[in-house]
Amino acid sequence: MPGYPVLPEGLAYGGDYNPEQWPEEVWREDVRLMREAGVTLVTVGVFNWGLIEPREGDYDFTRLDRILDLLHTAGVYADLATPTSSPPTWFRRRYPGSRLVDRDGHVLGGGSRHSFCPSSPDYAAASERVVAALAARYARHPAVAMWHVHNEYGWANAHCYCPTSAEAFRAWLRDRYGDVGALNAAWGTTFWGLTYGSFDEVEPPVAAPVGLLTGLQLDFMRFSVDAHITCFRRERDTIRRFSDLPVTTNFMIPNCKPMDYWRWAAEVDVVANDHYLDSARADPHIELAMAADLTRSVAGGRPWMLMEHSTGAVNWQPRNLAKRPGEMRRNTLAHVARGSDSAMFFQWRASRYGAEKFHSAMVPHAGTDSLIWRDVVALGADLRALAEVRGARVTAEVAVVWDWESYWALEFEWRPSADLRFRERIEAYYEALWREHVTVDFVHPSADLSPYRLVVAPSSYLLAEASAKNLHLYVEAGGHLLVSYFSGIVDENDTIHPGPCPGALRDVLGVAVEEFHPLREHETVTLRSPGSPGSPGSPGSPEASGPAATGRIWSERVRLAGAGAVREFADGPDAGHPAVTRHDLGAGSAWYVSTALDGESGLRGLVAEVLDHAGVSRPRGLPDTLELVRRGDHLFLINHADTPVTVDGVTGAGVLDGAAYDGSATVPAGGVVVVRT
Ligand code: GLA
Ligand code: GLA
């Protein structure tokens, strides 16, 4: 693929390097320490606009020249960033029309980064000029290995509601719909008599007295993605005039809801992602694994780059926990196991100033006589040993459906229950699969599903007709589909599919829902096997004992229309009616779950049953704290427990420890073993 690999050999190791915050003596120590740790790539210049263009049109590259020359002398490559996420203070003052306006109409202030309107023509012109100057100067600098455009598009200024943005939105709508009648039809504007007479009457979805047209909201989300992609393309294409090195920008999968990364992926030469551990979670490494699998999937299965993570605590969570011993290593190697060809951090040296002075770094405030520095040096050795995994692919038999448009639409106001959250169900199913040691890909519902034995759709509220058809054909051809409640409800305009829910999936699932019965907060319902004691008219089923599965959040009245009941509700508003169903269709099967199952007896058990039915292979008998991933010829075993674990059936060479494994491998408590099989 174009632009890959970015370095001549091995995995890239390093981080954001902001030497402009330090005197020059410190730079010399920096490069000495980079060599000590085995750093090969650093991201330079991310927030340098005000330093390289201190006055409009007046460039000063002396400092950046010296930094890049120094890196080159030290044998460290640069991922050279365009500085456009942090416009200079003069820019704001000179071009007040470029200021960011929030949904409530507040003009957001300066003294910060990301404070600009993505649709501003003044921002476009100024950013293009500085990028051209930067690219012209450094296109052939020997330290530069790749370009890093901007920083985290859509993180802090995803949506702007200023008059310029409003005009750009109207132009976008004209382009999408051609005539206003088509817009009225798509948004269903006969509702509340909100029919538009012309595009000029459309306003962005600013704060309104009550519920806004959801079609308007959805299209504004789409428009905003395009506004940022337009900014990216402008910079990328400017760089291309001078350089053919790979160009990327750092995504924030999955923690930047407004950016549709299926759309973004087509724009970059190599997908790069930033991921930070959510230390409030009980098992944050499972969300990390999900982020890595989703990033790899967004990259189309190709190797990707972990552009930022942290050596220890971040500074922006309510309670910023330090990583536990070995946790940074496990985190990094989990990303590598799941397809990353780099391990980069924010940032190289901890800042003394500003908002991020309490954020961890590779060189912490404590210096080199510190827990973190010793781990950073050791990680460098691990990554050198793992050079041979570069470029290898991860394959999966199971796919999970992920669609950002469904994420947005599900979480608009006025839904049947506030507990319906897109990530809630995706994460529940992902965790069950992770604990079953099943590696998954993520897919858009319109993707080619033929490589997968099982496709899981935990949260597909918005599903276009064509995507539903794709799922239907997949099942008929022998695929297995597992769907959770409140999926297939609306089309791409957030309009309910005609007839009983789940309209788009009724045929493939063989069920029709008569009524939704959302549960109260903390209310649960019990499930049982059909035919178990107490089930109406049944003789009772002896094998249906064991802990009863319970459901939260949702119950509904399911009518069978081709499917059979696999579980039924034992109590609650739908007692005696189907809770889990299976529809054998063509050569495959489609399962439907109409409540929020969790945990070992509920979701784990059901997922295991469906995996078996679909013939998905996986190791058995391992603790569910062991992460097991195969990347090419390498088996990664990451032990998240405080006790060692022995894995049978492992033969090959230990890449990190040099051990020879013959039939089994013991992974130390909190440790990682990688075996070339
Ligand atoms: C109010 C309004 C109706 C409708 C209902 C919904 O009563 O008058 O138009 O919105 O609320 O509960
Ligand atoms: C993001 C940004 C970095 C830094 C880190 C802190 O990833 O890209 O500049 O602010 O967050 O966690």
Side-chain angles (χ1 to χ4, degrees):
M1 65 174 280
Y4 173 83
V6 298
L7 296 187
E9 57 192 30
L11 304 176
Y13 182 38
D16 278 31
Y17 182 38
N18 300 311
E20 57 279 353
Q21 298 174 19
W22 299 89
E24 211 158 327
E25 314 81 81
V26 177
W27 307 359
R28 283 186 286 277
E29 191 197 35
D30 285 333
V31 294
R32 182 178 65 73
L33 293 175
M34 285 177 192
R35 292 172 64 96
E36 186 180 322
V39 163
T40 55
L41 182 72
V42 290
T43 302
V44 178
V46 187
F47 304 111
N48 262 348
W49 192 349
L51 305 178
I52 62 177
E53 191 180 358
R55 288 161 301 279
E56 186 166 19
D58 194 354
Y59 298 103
D60 177 2
F61 288 109
T62 34
R63 177 166 26 205
L64 197 49
D65 286 351
R66 285 213 291 280
I67 291 163
L68 289 173
D69 291 349
L70 182 66
L71 289 171
H72 178 58
T73 314
V76 175
Y77 285 99
D79 165 33
L80 185 55
T82 69
T84 52
S85 62
S86 192
T89 48
W90 57 255
F91 174 78
R92 221 184 126 67
R93 178 147 185 270
R94 176 90 199 261
Y95 301 105
S98 70
R99 293 179 188 178
L100 185 68
V101 175
D102 75 6
R103 201 170 169 268
D104 298 318
H106 300 126
V107 179
L108 300 190
S112 182
R113 60 183 180 184
H114 284 104
S115 201
F116 64 90
C117 162
S119 300
S120 155
D122 295 322
Y123 174 78
S127 58
E128 185 170 333
R129 274 196 312 271
V130 71
V131 170
L134 188 81
R137 189 167 188 93
Y138 297 115
R140 290 187 213 304
H141 194 288
V144 178
M146 65 184 296
W147 298 93
H148 178 299
V149 168
H150 200 84
N151 192 59
E152 297 190 333
Y153 277 102
W155 172 66
N157 62 344
H159 309 294
C160 180
Y161 300 82
C162 76
T164 306
S165 293
E167 201 44 57
F169 179 45
R170 287 188 280 270
W172 185 93
L173 291 170
R174 275 190 197 95
D175 206 42
R176 181 176 174 90
Y177 292 105
D179 81 61
V180 77
L183 176 148
N184 283 315
W187 293 0
T189 55
T190 50
F191 177 75
W192 286 352
L194 295 172
T195 303
Y196 294 96
S198 79
F199 286 103
D200 296 330
E201 294 172 3
V202 180
E203 292 172 80
V206 294
V210 286
L212 281 158
L213 281 172
T214 53
L216 164 67
Q217 296 184 65
L218 205 42
D219 272 342
F220 191 71
M221 300 293 285
R222 294 181 177 125
F223 154 76
S224 299
V225 174
D226 280 345
H228 289 280
I229 286 182
T230 300
C231 290
F232 173 79
R233 284 183 183 152
R234 179 186 310 120
E235 295 196 28
R236 178 197 62 199
D237 296 348
T238 302
I239 292 169
R240 285 260 181 277
R241 286 165 34 210
F242 304 94
S243 165
D244 54 14
L245 291 172
V247 180
T248 194
T249 183
N250 44 347
F251 297 165
M252 287 157 286
I253 296 171
N255 294 313
C256 185
K257 178 180 167 185
M259 289 295 115
D260 181 344
Y261 290 113
W262 294 125
R263 304 241 352 261
W264 268 98
E267 306 291 334
V268 296
D269 293 328
V270 55
V271 163
N273 199 47
D274 297 350
H275 184 265
Y276 290 93
L277 214 57
D278 177 356
S279 57
R281 289 171 183 259
D283 290 311
H285 49 270
I286 299 180
E287 194 267 350
L288 180 156
M290 183 181 90
D293 286 343
L294 181 54
T295 305
R296 181 187 67 252
S297 304
V298 161
R302 287 181 288 270
W304 53 279
M305 295 184 72
L306 176 64
M307 192 56 93
E308 293 179 25
H309 69 318
S310 71
T311 57
V314 298
N315 62 308
W316 41 264
Q317 293 174 4
R319 281 161 287 275
N320 297 294
L321 271 58
K323 290 193 179 178
R324 294 162 299 161
E327 192 172 14
M328 173 185 89
R329 180 175 189 244
R330 292 192 297 278
N331 291 169
T332 304
L333 298 184
H335 283 293
V336 172
R338 292 174 190 276
S340 175
D341 271 1
S342 75
M344 308 282 287
F345 290 92
F346 178 84
Q347 62 179 330
W348 166 253
R349 187 181 280 278
S351 296
R352 291 179 54 221
Y353 312 114
E356 297 190 315
K357 56 188 171 294
F358 296 117
H359 197 291
S360 61
M362 297 172 83
V363 182
H365 293 302
T368 52
D369 190 7
S370 61
L371 293 164
I372 283 182
W373 178 252
R374 287 186 283 276
D375 284 349
V376 162
V377 173
L379 185 62
D382 284 340
L383 292 166
R384 276 195 299 283
L386 284 169
E388 64 193 54
V389 307
R390 178 166 95 167
R393 302 285 187 107
V394 175
T395 53
E397 294 184 328
V398 177
V400 175
V401 176
W402 180 294
D403 179 1
W404 271 274
E405 296 198 350
S406 194
Y407 193 168
W408 304 335
L410 178 64
E411 299 185 359
F412 292 150
E413 69 279 41
W414 290 8
R415 302 287 132 174
S417 168
D419 299 325
L420 294 166
R421 308 292 300 177
F422 177 81
R423 285 182 59 172
E424 194 279 330
R425 278 298 86 191
I426 298 230
E427 292 188 16
Y429 280 81
Y430 184 88
E431 176 172 344
L433 290 159
W434 189 96
R435 293 195 188 280
E436 287 292 314
H437 310 101
V438 174
T439 301
V440 305
D441 285 342
F442 285 87
V443 289
H444 188 273
S446 64
D448 172 16
L449 304 174
S450 60
Y452 304 105
R453 287 181 189 274
L454 172 66
V455 171
V456 186
S459 200
S460 291
Y461 161 71
L462 178 151
L463 198 64
E465 190 63 48
S467 295
K469 184 146 191 241
N470 188 43
L471 294 169
H472 198 118
L473 292 173
Y474 163 73
V475 173
E476 279 182 341
H480 300 277
L481 176 67
L482 172 59
V483 176
S484 180
Y485 58 87
F486 213 56
S487 288
I489 305 293
V490 298
D491 67 12
E492 65 276 23
N493 298 312
D494 196 49
T495 298
I496 299 214
H497 287 288
C501 292
L505 294 171
R506 216 162 47 222
D507 291 345
V508 67
L509 295 173
V511 298
V513 172
E514 292 182 23
E515 190 167 342
F516 300 144
H517 291 141
L519 302 178
R520 292 182 173 82
E521 202 180 1
H522 309 305
E523 184 182 357
T524 58
V525 286
T526 315
L527 273 61
R528 67 183 174 206
S529 300
S532 49
S535 174
S538 95
S541 144
E543 59 278 48
S545 51
T550 55
R552 295 179 297 119
I553 297 175
W554 199 254
S555 178
E556 63 189 5
R557 183 63 52 89
V558 171
R559 183 164 19 96
L560 298 175
V566 176
R567 306 272 197 285
E568 62 183 25
F569 289 107
D571 53 25
D574 299 294
H577 293 274
V580 179
T581 61
R582 191 182 90 211
H583 187 209
D584 294 322
L585 177 69
S589 70
W591 302 62
Y592 183 59
V593 185
S594 60
T595 187
L597 297 176
D598 299 291
E600 194 108 27
S601 62
L603 195 54
R604 271 290 287 289
L606 179 71
V607 162
E609 190 176 330
V610 177
L611 288 168
D612 290 342
H613 185 81
V616 175
S617 57
R618 59 199 194 281
R620 310 281 175 147
L622 293 173
D624 69 358
T625 43
L626 181 79
E627 184 168 359
L628 183 149
V629 189
R630 177 170 285 284
R631 181 173 178 192
D633 296 332
H634 292 79
L635 183 66
F636 285 71
L637 303 166
I638 304 173
N639 185 1
H640 296 278
D642 297 334
T643 47
V645 55
T646 298
V647 184
D648 291 329
V650 177
T651 298
V655 177
L656 301 176
D657 52 10
Y661 293 107
D662 185 13
S664 79
T666 297
V667 191
V672 183
V673 166
V674 181
V675 184
R676 188 191 317 116
T677 57

